[in-house]
Amino acid sequence: MERTLSIIKPDAVSRHITGKVNAMIEDAGLKIVAQKLIRLTQAQAEEFYEEHKEKAFFGGLVEYMTSAPIVVQVLEGENAVAEYRKIMGATNPAVAEEGTIRKTFALSITQNSVHGSDSPESARREISFFFSQIEIVS
Ligand code: ATP
Ligand code: MG
Protein backbone atom coordinates (compact mmCIF):
# COMPACT_ATOMS: atom_id res chain seq x y z
CA MET A 1 0.00 0.00 0.00
CA GLU A 2 1.22 3.46 -0.93
CA ARG A 3 -0.11 6.98 -0.42
CA THR A 4 -0.05 10.01 -2.70
CA LEU A 5 -1.07 13.64 -2.32
CA SER A 6 -3.77 14.86 -4.68
CA ILE A 7 -4.96 18.41 -5.23
CA ILE A 8 -8.18 19.27 -7.03
CA LYS A 9 -7.15 22.65 -8.42
CA PRO A 10 -9.11 25.96 -8.52
CA ASP A 11 -10.51 25.44 -12.03
CA ALA A 12 -12.15 22.15 -11.01
CA VAL A 13 -13.38 23.25 -7.56
CA SER A 14 -14.82 26.48 -9.06
CA ARG A 15 -16.71 24.49 -11.72
CA HIS A 16 -18.19 22.23 -9.00
CA ILE A 17 -16.74 19.03 -10.45
CA THR A 18 -14.99 17.82 -7.28
CA GLY A 19 -17.49 14.96 -7.11
CA LYS A 20 -16.84 13.96 -10.72
CA VAL A 21 -13.07 13.95 -10.16
CA ASN A 22 -13.54 11.91 -6.97
CA ALA A 23 -15.69 9.42 -8.90
CA MET A 24 -12.86 8.88 -11.41
CA ILE A 25 -10.38 8.42 -8.55
CA GLU A 26 -12.62 5.90 -6.80
CA ASP A 27 -13.53 4.08 -10.04
CA ALA A 28 -9.78 3.57 -10.59
CA GLY A 29 -9.59 1.77 -7.24
CA LEU A 30 -7.81 4.48 -5.25
CA LYS A 31 -9.19 5.14 -1.76
CA ILE A 32 -9.62 8.70 -0.42
CA VAL A 33 -8.25 8.48 3.14
CA ALA A 34 -8.15 12.24 3.88
CA GLN A 35 -9.74 15.27 2.25
CA LYS A 36 -10.27 18.97 2.96
CA LEU A 37 -11.16 22.25 1.26
CA ILE A 38 -8.62 25.05 1.80
CA ARG A 39 -7.46 28.34 0.26
CA LEU A 40 -3.67 28.60 -0.15
CA THR A 41 -1.86 31.81 0.79
CA GLN A 42 0.87 33.09 -1.54
CA ALA A 43 3.58 31.97 0.92
CA GLN A 44 2.09 28.48 1.18
CA ALA A 45 1.83 28.09 -2.61
CA GLU A 46 5.43 29.31 -3.09
CA GLU A 47 6.66 26.79 -0.50
CA PHE A 48 4.62 23.90 -1.91
CA TYR A 49 5.93 24.53 -5.46
CA GLU A 50 9.47 25.54 -4.44
CA GLU A 51 11.03 22.97 -6.85
CA HIS A 52 9.63 25.11 -9.71
CA LYS A 53 10.75 28.52 -8.43
CA GLU A 54 13.27 29.09 -11.25
CA LYS A 55 10.75 28.19 -13.97
CA ALA A 56 9.12 30.82 -16.19
CA PHE A 57 5.63 29.62 -15.21
CA PHE A 58 6.23 29.85 -11.41
CA GLY A 59 4.60 33.26 -10.86
CA GLY A 60 1.55 32.33 -12.90
CA LEU A 61 1.27 28.97 -11.17
CA VAL A 62 1.34 30.54 -7.68
CA GLU A 63 -1.18 33.21 -8.74
CA TYR A 64 -3.47 30.53 -10.14
CA MET A 65 -3.20 28.17 -7.15
CA THR A 66 -4.11 31.02 -4.74
CA SER A 67 -6.96 32.35 -6.89
CA ALA A 68 -9.70 30.18 -5.35
CA PRO A 69 -10.16 27.26 -2.93
CA ILE A 70 -8.62 23.84 -3.61
CA VAL A 71 -9.38 20.36 -2.31
CA VAL A 72 -6.36 18.53 -0.92
CA GLN A 73 -6.60 14.80 -0.39
CA VAL A 74 -4.57 11.72 0.44
CA LEU A 75 -5.12 8.73 -1.85
CA GLU A 76 -4.16 5.18 -0.89
CA GLY A 77 -3.70 2.07 -3.00
CA GLU A 78 -1.20 -0.23 -4.65
CA ASN A 79 1.39 1.93 -6.48
CA ALA A 80 -0.81 4.96 -5.67
CA VAL A 81 1.77 7.51 -6.88
CA ALA A 82 2.15 6.03 -10.37
CA GLU A 83 -1.50 4.90 -10.58
CA TYR A 84 -2.80 8.39 -9.86
CA ARG A 85 -0.43 9.99 -12.38
CA LYS A 86 -1.74 7.51 -14.96
CA ILE A 87 -5.38 8.46 -14.39
CA MET A 88 -4.53 12.20 -14.20
CA GLY A 89 -2.97 12.12 -17.67
CA ALA A 90 -0.27 14.37 -19.13
CA THR A 91 0.41 17.84 -17.65
CA ASN A 92 -0.76 19.42 -20.92
CA PRO A 93 -4.39 18.32 -21.46
CA ALA A 94 -3.93 18.73 -25.23
CA VAL A 95 -1.72 15.63 -25.23
CA ALA A 96 -3.38 13.73 -22.34
CA GLU A 97 -4.81 10.31 -23.09
CA GLU A 98 -8.54 9.78 -23.62
CA GLY A 99 -10.34 8.88 -20.39
CA THR A 100 -7.86 10.64 -18.08
CA ILE A 101 -8.96 13.35 -15.63
CA ARG A 102 -6.99 16.06 -17.45
CA LYS A 103 -8.24 15.03 -20.91
CA THR A 104 -11.80 15.04 -19.58
CA PHE A 105 -11.77 18.23 -17.49
CA ALA A 106 -8.61 20.38 -17.80
CA LEU A 107 -8.82 23.81 -19.44
CA SER A 108 -5.11 24.44 -20.14
CA ILE A 109 -1.58 23.45 -19.07
CA THR A 110 -1.90 25.76 -16.03
CA GLN A 111 -5.59 25.15 -15.30
CA ASN A 112 -5.13 21.39 -15.49
CA SER A 113 -7.61 20.39 -12.74
CA VAL A 114 -5.43 18.10 -10.59
CA HIS A 115 -2.02 17.60 -9.01
CA GLY A 116 -0.47 14.31 -7.99
CA SER A 117 2.85 13.64 -6.25
CA ASP A 118 5.62 12.57 -8.65
CA SER A 119 7.42 10.05 -6.37
CA PRO A 120 6.93 8.32 -3.00
CA GLU A 121 9.45 10.79 -1.49
CA SER A 122 7.50 13.79 -2.83
CA ALA A 123 4.30 12.17 -1.58
CA ARG A 124 5.64 12.00 1.98
CA ARG A 125 6.70 15.66 1.91
CA GLU A 126 3.45 16.82 0.30
CA ILE A 127 1.15 14.78 2.58
CA SER A 128 2.85 16.16 5.71
CA PHE A 129 2.69 19.67 4.20
CA PHE A 130 -1.12 19.54 4.33
CA PHE A 131 -2.12 16.83 6.82
CA SER A 132 -1.34 15.76 10.34
CA GLN A 133 -1.47 12.07 11.29
CA ILE A 134 -4.84 12.44 13.04
CA GLU A 135 -6.49 13.68 9.82
CA ILE A 136 -5.65 10.56 7.81
CA VAL A 137 -7.86 7.47 8.16
CA SER A 138 -5.82 4.30 8.60
P1 ATP B 1 1.46 18.44 -10.90
O1 ATP B 1 2.78 18.69 -10.20
O2 ATP B 1 0.48 19.57 -10.76
O3 ATP B 1 0.87 17.10 -10.60
P2 ATP B 1 2.94 17.74 -13.21
O4 ATP B 1 3.82 16.98 -12.29
O5 ATP B 1 2.32 17.06 -14.39
O6 ATP B 1 1.73 18.39 -12.46
P3 ATP B 1 4.93 19.84 -13.08
O7 ATP B 1 6.01 19.86 -14.09
O8 ATP B 1 5.21 19.36 -11.69
O9 ATP B 1 3.70 19.04 -13.72
O10 ATP B 1 4.32 21.30 -13.02
C1 ATP B 1 3.49 21.69 -11.94
C2 ATP B 1 2.33 22.48 -12.48
O11 ATP B 1 2.81 23.69 -13.07
C3 ATP B 1 1.55 21.78 -13.60
O12 ATP B 1 0.57 20.90 -13.15
C4 ATP B 1 0.93 22.97 -14.32
O13 ATP B 1 -0.24 23.42 -13.64
C5 ATP B 1 2.01 24.02 -14.20
N1 ATP B 1 2.88 24.00 -15.39
C6 ATP B 1 3.81 23.09 -15.72
N2 ATP B 1 4.41 23.36 -16.88
C7 ATP B 1 3.84 24.50 -17.32
C8 ATP B 1 4.03 25.32 -18.46
N3 ATP B 1 4.92 25.01 -19.41
N4 ATP B 1 3.26 26.43 -18.58
C9 ATP B 1 2.36 26.76 -17.64
N5 ATP B 1 2.13 26.03 -16.52
C10 ATP B 1 2.86 24.90 -16.36
MG1 MG C 1 4.67 17.81 -10.49
Side-chain angles (χ1 to χ4, degrees), residues 51-52 85 115-116 118:
E51 66 173 311
H52 295 306
R85 288 186 74 84
H115 162 88
D118 62 14

Side-chain angles (χ1 to χ4, degrees), residues 49 51-52 85 88 91 102 115-118 126:
Y49 281 116
E51 66 173 311
H52 295 306
R85 288 186 74 84
M88 287 198 301
T91 309
R102 283 167 167 166
H115 162 88
S117 307
D118 62 14
E126 294 178 358

Side-chain angles (χ1 to χ4, degrees), residues 3-131:
R3 285 174 175 175
T4 192
L5 189 278
S6 163
I7 302 178
I8 304 179
K9 293 185 177 183
D11 67 274
V13 175
S14 301
R15 285 180 290 149
H16 310 120
I17 56 171
T18 298
K20 290 180 176 168
V21 173
N22 279 349
M24 289 177 81
I25 289 168
E26 293 181 327
D27 286 349
L30 290 168
K31 190 170 160 192
I32 300 166
V33 294
Q35 175 168 266
K36 60 190 173 187
L37 180 73
I38 61 165
R39 175 89 182 251
L40 284 177
T41 65
Q42 171 148 347
Q44 289 165 342
E46 285 174 352
E47 187 184 343
F48 181 75
Y49 281 116
E50 89 188 321
E51 66 173 311
H52 295 306
K53 66 170 181 280
E54 308 303 332
K55 309 248 173 78
F57 61 78
F58 182 71
L61 176 61
V62 168
E63 188 181 343
Y64 166 60
M65 290 300 290
T66 56
S67 66
I70 60 173
V71 171
V72 290
Q73 46 191 197
V74 179
L75 309 182
E76 192 175 82
E78 222 170 284
N79 297 313
V81 170
E83 274 305 306
Y84 189 44
R85 288 186 74 84
K86 199 159 80 188
I87 68 165
M88 287 198 301
T91 309
N92 182 354
V95 302
E97 260 184 71
E98 216 53 60
T100 61
I101 295 170
R102 283 167 167 166
K103 179 68 178 186
T104 307
F105 297 119
L107 303 176
S108 69
I109 193 166
T110 300
Q111 299 191 48
N112 63 357
S113 302
V114 282
H115 162 88
S117 307
D118 62 14
S119 68
E121 297 69 47
S122 303
R124 278 190 282 278
R125 179 186 86 86
E126 294 178 358
I127 289 168
S128 61
F129 186 90
F130 288 111
F131 292 95

